[in-house]
Amino acid sequence: WAEATFPTCNAQRLTKEGLCDAMLEAEMERIFILGDSMGMNMAQSLWKLTGHEDNPSEFGTRDPNWDRIIECGPDYDDFAFTLSFGRNDQLLENDRPVDVDAGIRNCFAYCYPWTERYASYPGKTLLIVNTGPHYQSHHEYQYTMRQVVKTVDAMNRPEDVMLWRTSVPGHRDCDAPGLTPFESYAEYAPTVTDEYSWDKFVGYNDYASQLLDMRARDERRGPPEISPKPPPKMGLDGVPLP
C-alpha cells in the first residue's frame, strides 16, 4: 500500500516490539477492542501480528469474547499486557439471551454485555470502540454514540483512553474474480450502496468527529465545579487527544 492522498499517513506494519514500547511508555495494561465482526477480525489480527500462531479464542468455537496476555519479554522487564475483545454490534446491553453459535440475537445483531467487564478491570485501559454497520438511521447511531460516551464517562476511569474507530465502507461483490481496485475514493463514491449502511458512513463519521470535538472543547473550558475524577481521554482514530 502506498498512500497518495495523505502521504504522511502511510501504513506501517505493527510489530510486537513497537506495541510493547508504546504500551509501556503509556503505562497501559490492557487493550480492549469492542464492536462487531470487523472489530473481532482486527483483534484477531493484532494477536497474530504480535507473533502468536494460535487463535486468541478456542479453535472450532465462535466464542466472541476473550482475554489474552501478551508478554513483552525480558527486554521489557517482563512487562505484559492484556488484549481483550468484546462482541457487541450495536454497543447496546439488555437482559435478553444472546449466542452467536446458536444464532440467537438480542438486538439487531449480537450484543453481549461489556460494561461490567470493562469497568471491573483494575489496570489502565485503551478502549477501542466502533459501531455503524448495524444501524440503519442517523438518529439511532447518534443516540447510541451519545449514550456510550456518557456511559464511559460515568465509570470514573480517568487514566483510560478511549478511541472511537471510524467506519470504512465496503462495496458489493468485492470478492468477485478479476476486479481492478478503485484508484481513489472519488472513483468509488458513485458505486456506494445501502448494504450495511455503507451510504451512511460519511455522516456517521462526521457526527463522531463533531461529538468528540465538542466534548474536548467542554473539557478545556472546565466543568462548573471541580470534579475529583476527570473523565477518560477520548479521541477519533489516531487523532492526538487534548
Side-chain angles (χ1 to χ4, degrees):
W1 176 264
E3 179 58 54
T5 305
F6 301 100
T8 60
C9 298
N10 210 4
Q12 297 181 359
R13 185 179 179 85
L14 181 143
T15 65
K16 179 179 178 179
E17 291 73 19
L19 184 58
C20 285
D21 284 337
M23 294 292 287
L24 188 58
E25 182 177 354
E27 299 180 335
M28 286 284 175
E29 299 177 49
R30 177 178 64 162
I31 299 175
F32 191 152
I33 299 175
L34 176 67
D36 58 16
S37 59
M38 183 172 288
M40 178 181 68
N41 291 337
M42 291 182 175
Q44 292 169 334
S45 177
L46 182 55
W47 175 253
K48 295 289 187 176
L49 282 169
T50 51
H52 301 92
E53 296 184 1
D54 62 331
N55 293 309
S57 57
E58 184 180 350
F59 186 75
T61 70
R62 298 182 64 193
D63 181 6
N65 303 285
W66 45 265
D67 303 280
R68 297 297 299 266
I69 302 297
I70 296 178
E71 298 180 356
C72 294
D75 290 343
Y76 296 87
D77 295 325
D78 294 321
F79 171 73
F81 61 92
T82 301
L83 174 60
S84 302
F85 174 71
R87 176 72 182 266
N88 194 304
D89 296 351
Q90 293 187 288
L91 306 183
L92 302 173
E93 287 190 324
N94 56 55
D95 296 329
R96 296 190 292 272
V98 56
D99 191 314
V100 170
D101 273 338
I104 300 173
R105 303 185 177 202
N106 64 336
C107 58
F108 185 74
Y110 302 100
C111 293
Y112 284 81
W114 65 273
T115 53
E116 182 178 354
R117 184 174 164 215
Y118 167 64
S120 63
Y121 185 81
K124 189 175 176 181
T125 295
L126 170 61
L127 177 64
I128 303 174
V129 184
N130 171 265
T131 190
H134 296 279
Y135 279 100
Q136 279 67 55
S137 76
H138 290 277
H139 171 75
E140 292 175 323
Y141 175 85
Q142 292 172 7
Y143 174 80
T144 294
M145 185 170 181
R146 292 194 300 270
Q147 291 303 112
V148 171
V149 170
K150 289 179 183 177
T151 297
V152 174
D153 275 342
M155 290 180 182
N156 290 324
R157 294 179 61 92
E159 298 301 315
D160 287 1
V161 173
M162 172 180 159
L163 292 182
W164 189 281
R165 179 178 63 78
T166 53
S167 299
V168 180
H171 55 89
R172 285 179 177 164
D173 303 320
C174 61
D175 56 349
L179 292 179
T180 301
F182 292 111
E183 291 291 336
S184 65
Y185 180 82
E187 184 181 343
Y188 158 75
T191 72
V192 70
T193 68
D194 61 358
E195 189 169 352
Y196 291 106
S197 299
W198 288 332
D199 58 332
K200 298 180 177 66
F201 282 9
V202 170
Y204 289 175
N205 294 338
D206 184 60
Y207 181 79
S209 178
Q210 290 182 38
L211 182 65
L212 294 183
D213 282 348
M214 192 179 343
R215 182 185 177 281
R217 288 196 297 271
D218 290 343
E219 250 187 2
R220 285 193 288 268
R221 281 195 294 265
E225 296 180 0
I226 297 176
S227 172
K229 287 189 175 182
K233 297 179 178 66
M234 296 190 184
L236 191 73
D237 294 336
V239 176
L241 297 162

